[in-house]
Amino acid sequence: MSSNTPRQPVRDLRFFLTVPHACSYLPGKEATTLFLDPKESPGQGVYDALTLLGFRRSGLHLYRPHCEGCHACISVRIPVADFSPNRTQRRLMRRNADLTIEVVPAQFDSRHYDLYARYICTRHHDGDMFPPSHEQYRTFLSLDQPYARLLEMRLDGKLVAVSAFDELRHGLSAIYTFFDPDHSLERRSLGTQAVLALIQMASLKGLPHVYLGYWIEECRKMSYKSSFSPLERLDGRLWRRLVPTDSE
């Protein structure tokens, strides 16, 4: 078990609640979101503190679920020093050893957008991010802040995946990953590989955690998160070890 107390108080900040809306993850459920006043310009310390309290970033917004009667969304993170890849992950890292990785600022790049558009149209054409647009992409993933980064993956010089993440004082926060939907790349599990790359990067930087956002046990699309072990969950204001059900 581990606990953290934010170094910078957030009690003077203003927060708002959205009206209830259809949940994106659990059919038939309604969701409500607590978000920081968009007029606020939080410094790095506030962002660090809110992340420890389960907040996430989407574009310029810091938010977390605040649903009455439902606590399915669980904030999870990987304690980097204790992480040990399982057999499947070790095999995946060997398979992807030929990928080249580069970290760049979170600025708009037409090559990134073209890959994002193909990914959304192929993998998420039934979701709320379809259809993709330049404005949507810029609002979501382009951010001129020193902590915002993009991790590029290339195979033989071809861009095959991009992972947006933030560098905090206490870890790396994975925002969103999109990749080439070509069937020939399926065995590479590029989404999982992006997380493994962030774990390695955090270790090299001496950062203790990689934040994976929210995990919902009943949501199949989030099941990959539970394959990283050990995993910590936010329970109130304490981060506790999540007991894995399957290490492979």
Side-chain angles (χ1 to χ4, degrees), residues 162-229:
V162 176
S163 182
F165 70 97
D166 290 339
E167 183 172 339
L168 308 175
R169 292 195 178 100
H170 48 74
L172 302 180
S173 179
I175 304 297
Y176 193 75
T177 298
F178 54 94
F179 48 83
D180 193 328
D182 193 311
H183 291 299
S184 65
L185 296 170
E186 286 185 354
R187 294 183 67 251
R188 290 183 176 269
S189 299
L190 294 172
T192 296
Q193 181 60 44
V195 176
L196 293 170
L198 290 180
I199 295 171
Q200 182 179 30
M201 187 185 308
S203 178
L204 292 173
K205 288 178 174 288
L207 296 172
H209 301 105
V210 170
Y211 292 83
L212 297 183
Y214 304 115
W215 173 68
I216 300 176
E217 187 173 7
E218 297 86 354
C219 182
R220 182 181 59 81
K221 291 181 179 179
M222 295 186 178
S223 62
Y224 75 93
K225 297 183 182 183
S226 61
S227 69
F228 294 93
S229 181

Side-chain angles (χ1 to χ4, degrees), residues 116-126 130 179 181-183:
Y116 169 83
R118 286 207 298 132
Y119 173 77
I120 294 296
C121 290
T122 303
R123 294 295 187 99
H124 298 288
H125 55 84
D126 57 347
F130 180 86
F179 48 83
D182 193 311
H183 291 299

